[in-house]
Amino acid sequence: MLLAGPIFSREALTVPRQLKTYLLRAGYLFAFFVLLYTASQATFGWQQYRSLGATARFGAYVFQIFAFVQLTLVIFAGLLFSAGNVAAEKDRRTILLLLMTDLKDRELVIGKLLASLLNVFTLVLCSLPVFIFIRILGGVSLSQVLWALAITAASTYMAGSWGIFVAFWREKTFQTLAVGLLGFVAFLAVVEGLTFLVGPETTLGTWIGALDPYRALLTVVSPFSTTSMSRISDLSMWQTFGELLGLGVLLNVLTIVNLRRWNPSRTLYVAAKKDESGEPTRKARQVWERPIVWREIMTKAYGRRIFLIKLAYVLFSVLIGYSLLSAETSSLVLGMISWQGLGFVLLALLSLMLVNAQAVTSITSERDGQTLEVLLVTEISAREFIYGKLLGVFYNAKEAILLPLIYIAVMSSQGMIAPVQSFYLGFGYLMLCAFASMLGMHSAISFDNSRTAIANSMGTVFFLFIGIFICMILIVEARSSFALQLPSFLIFIVGGSIGLWASLTHKNPSPALTLAAGVLPFGTFYAITAFLLGESFSVFLCVCAAYGFTALAMLIPAISEFDLALGRATIEKS
């Protein structure tokens, strides 16, 4: 391609040679068909006779699930792959070599963007036969399918452009991931807030609301309930498609213009100046007895302006908390959870993603910066290294951990939840934070490639919550005959167990990790059903047992087989 240059050309030539590319595509389609089978069993059960109307309603229902799930997945993947691709270049200092070549700025930016999104766009294209199959069931038109895929592709391009913009702007991987996630979530919140204030029916409100891909996709999957059109042939989403593409192009232009100004100055370190006597003007700082903890807490290892990220997260949390806690409504979201509970879920998911990003980058940044090898030749033990990194994760992400707990305390003070439920919710959330942090460190140790480690770690957390959400929707759909549809849910759960097992036991398999991969999805499924039945203690006990055991199964090998996991040989002294 003329704009992409050799970077994209190399990616396009090398990707088809990798076996994991085809495994990824096959697994993506297989997951869709497993979800389709589970949804059909939850809707129809084992009955043989199905009318045309029931099949059409099922087609429309599955189309809604598939469209929103795919949009969420590819937006997250596009943002993560784009940001991680450039961040890895910066950590390894290879970005300097690219800037020294005769590559044009647009070739570097556009090439990195399209190379990062190549696999994502391929997955969207692979999903086309699945949506065509759903269209054959009825209840969905071809224009709805095409517009859903077009909005998904445009949203992915915009999210990837934002990831590339942030990655070239910020100098540290954690800053890139945190700003990327927070920025995109804040963008959706601002768009919805402005649309509500201006009015969705006004011209300005229509233009602003078109920037939200979820609002546009809702119009596509339910055109007659959200618009006043009389025929499905009148469906047109050119406004949303054009605005998303235009926003992505604008981000690309800004990145190209500022590329040389942002880089390489942020990746270079200036030596301390010396006075006339030859002594450094800046005195050396006293290092603690635990140097790993000192580095994590007392230095700016994750960037010079990390407080701005924390401030943005605090402001976003306050906005979400005020908006939902002050809402006077008793309706349930999708018949499952209150609006106040939804606010906690959103904050908790964002916090867990930030904690996980902090954990995985705490080790990948050491490897890419070639400081991990230095640590391996010191007398620092595995226990000191792992516990020091964990303490640093909890300290640096303390705002992300504490704000959902404050949200729980506010709900309890207003009488929305009982005190004992507040304890269950808070302690369970802390257990999930421990699981997310340990998962990040386990992935960083297990995968030698930093991009793969980050994608595996954050993708596992993200897919876990997406799977929980889908499972809750299907259980609500099958609530009248849940016992009859239990075998179909077991297939869905077993698929999750296999994926989790492949992730956890990639490099250092163990019986404990295998058992954790089998227990965690089943424990999560039991917690979901207990929650929908209105139980509290059972959910609390199951979450603590399943996720606590998995965290321990990852922690013990890390502190006992640390040398083996990172390739350092040890010699026992006789």
Side-chain angles (χ1 to χ4, degrees):
M1 294 180 64
L2 181 61
L3 293 177
I7 294 180
F8 175 74
S9 300
R10 176 187 177 277
E11 189 75 10
L13 290 175
T14 56
V15 164
R17 303 174 186 174
Q18 303 174 6
L19 178 61
K20 64 180 182 180
T21 301
Y22 301 97
L23 294 178
L24 177 63
R25 298 172 186 175
Y28 187 71
L29 294 179
F30 178 74
F32 269 121
F33 280 106
V34 169
L35 181 57
L36 178 65
Y37 172 77
T38 306
S40 66
Q41 292 297 105
T43 304
F44 297 113
W46 300 102
Q47 57 181 334
Q48 298 297 324
Y49 174 75
R50 301 169 187 174
S51 64
L52 294 178
T55 305
R57 285 191 296 270
F58 171 72
Y61 170 68
V62 174
F63 175 67
Q64 294 178 12
I65 295 179
F66 279 15
F68 280 102
V69 168
Q70 177 168 260
L71 177 64
T72 305
L73 291 180
V74 298
I75 285 178
F76 173 78
L79 176 61
L80 182 61
F81 290 168
S82 301
N85 195 351
V86 177
E89 298 279 6
K90 284 193 170 184
D91 285 338
R92 295 196 301 263
R93 309 290 179 84
T94 52
I95 189 68
L96 299 177
L97 301 178
L98 292 174
L99 292 171
M100 292 170 61
T101 63
D102 58 353
L103 284 173
K104 298 179 180 179
D105 292 349
R106 60 173 175 82
E107 291 180 335
L108 181 55
V109 174
I110 303 299
K112 277 293 181 182
L113 173 62
L114 296 183
S116 303
L117 298 180
L118 179 60
N119 278 327
V120 183
F121 282 141
T122 304
L123 294 180
V124 175
L125 186 61
C126 289
S127 68
L128 178 59
V130 179
F131 283 94
I132 294 299
F133 176 77
I134 296 175
R135 186 237 183 265
I136 296 175
L137 295 177
V140 181
S141 67
L142 182 60
S143 62
Q144 286 179 279
V145 172
L146 296 179
W147 276 122
L149 295 181
I151 291 174
T152 300
S155 303
T156 305
Y157 171 71
M158 189 269 288
S161 300
W162 169 246
I164 288 288
F165 175 86
V166 175
F168 278 112
W169 172 36
R170 306 312 304 161
E171 69 271 18
K172 294 294 183 178
T173 302
F174 173 71
Q175 284 192 18
T176 299
L177 298 176
V179 173
L181 288 173
L182 288 173
F184 193 83
V185 174
F187 167 76
L188 295 179
V190 169
V191 167
E192 283 299 313
L194 292 177
T195 304
F196 175 78
L197 293 176
V198 175
E201 302 299 331
T202 62
T203 303
L204 181 59
T206 302
W207 280 93
I208 296 175
L211 289 171
D212 186 356
Y214 289 94
R215 176 183 288 269
L217 191 59
L218 181 62
T219 303
V220 172
V221 299
S222 302
F224 299 109
S225 61
T226 56
T227 61
S228 58
M229 31 180 244
S230 57
R231 295 182 302 175
I232 194 64
S233 59
D234 297 333
L235 181 63
S236 176
M237 303 304 298
W238 284 110
Q239 184 178 9
T240 296
F241 184 77
E243 288 189 25
L244 291 175
L245 284 183
L247 183 58
V249 171
L250 177 61
L251 291 172
N252 295 154
V253 172
L254 292 176
T255 306
I256 294 172
V257 170
N258 294 283
L259 178 64
R260 300 286 174 173
R261 186 171 64 88
W262 290 338
N263 302 279
S265 59
R266 292 180 181 271
T267 61
L268 298 178
Y269 296 92
V270 180
K273 297 180 180 179
K274 297 182 179 181
D275 56 17
E276 297 179 355
S277 63
E279 295 294 331
T281 58
R282 185 175 58 188
K283 296 183 179 179
R285 290 178 291 179
Q286 183 67 31
V287 180
W288 299 347
E289 294 182 0
R290 304 296 182 184
I292 299 296
V293 179
W294 176 84
R295 178 189 182 277
E296 295 292 314
I297 296 178
M298 301 301 297
T299 66
K300 298 178 181 179
Y302 300 101
R304 293 169 291 180
R305 298 178 181 176
I306 197 71
F307 71 94
L308 295 177
I309 300 176
K310 297 180 178 181
L311 179 61
Y313 177 78
V314 171
L315 294 177
F316 177 77
S317 302
V318 171
L319 176 63
I320 292 294
Y322 177 78
S323 301
L324 295 180
L325 290 176
S326 60
E328 298 179 359
T329 177
S330 59
S331 61
L332 298 179
V333 180
L334 299 176
M336 295 182 295
I337 190 173
S338 65
W339 284 98
Q340 292 77 15
L342 178 64
F344 171 76
V345 171
L346 294 177
L347 286 181
L349 175 58
L350 188 57
S351 297
L352 291 176
M353 295 294 294
L354 293 177
V355 170
N356 184 259
Q358 175 72 55
V360 67
T361 55
S362 67
I363 296 182
T364 58
S365 60
E366 299 275 11
R367 179 186 288 115
D368 292 333
Q370 299 180 353
T371 55
L372 186 60
E373 289 79 3
V374 178
L375 292 174
L376 293 179
V377 298
T378 64
E379 297 180 353
I380 297 177
S381 63
R383 188 184 302 271
E384 182 180 354
F385 181 85
I386 296 297
Y387 286 148
K389 286 293 185 180
L390 283 176
L391 183 59
V393 169
F394 294 140
Y395 177 82
N396 292 315
K398 55 184 180 296
E399 291 82 5
I401 297 175
L402 291 177
L403 283 174
L405 296 177
I406 296 175
Y407 190 94
I408 296 174
V410 174
M411 286 196 299
S412 179
S413 64
Q414 295 184 359
M416 297 179 182
I417 54 177
V420 64
Q421 292 177 332
S422 301
F423 171 77
Y424 294 156
L425 192 59
F427 195 87
Y429 163 72
L430 291 177
M431 184 61 68
L432 291 178
C433 289
F435 165 79
S437 60
M438 198 59 234
L439 176 64
M441 301 190 67
H442 177 78
S443 298
I445 294 175
S446 300
F447 294 89
D448 297 328
N449 186 281
S450 297
R451 284 186 294 172
T452 305
I454 293 172
N456 179 84
S457 177
M458 300 186 68
T460 300
V461 176
F462 189 76
F463 275 102
L464 183 64
F465 275 86
I466 290 295
I468 291 174
F469 177 72
I470 295 174
C471 193
M472 292 179 70
I473 291 178
L474 295 178
I475 290 176
V476 172
E477 177 69 17
R479 58 185 179 271
S480 59
S481 56
F482 174 73
L484 297 177
Q485 277 75 54
L486 183 59
S488 62
F489 285 103
L490 293 179
I491 297 177
F492 185 73
I493 297 169
V494 170
S497 298
I498 295 175
L500 186 61
W501 174 81
S503 174
L504 295 180
T505 62
H506 168 73
K507 188 176 182 180
N508 298 308
S510 69
L513 290 175
T514 302
L515 180 61
V519 169
L520 185 61
F522 283 93
T524 303
F525 177 74
Y526 175 79
I528 292 172
T529 55
F531 169 77
L532 294 176
L533 291 174
E535 299 182 13
S536 299
F537 181 73
S538 299
V539 177
F540 165 74
L541 189 62
C542 187
V543 168
C544 291
Y547 288 88
F549 175 76
T550 306
L552 287 176
M554 292 184 289
L555 174 64
I556 293 176
I559 62 177
S560 61
E561 300 180 3
F562 175 74
D563 297 334
L564 178 62
L566 291 179
R568 178 173 67 176
T570 57
I571 301 178
E572 296 182 359
K573 296 182 180 180
S574 57

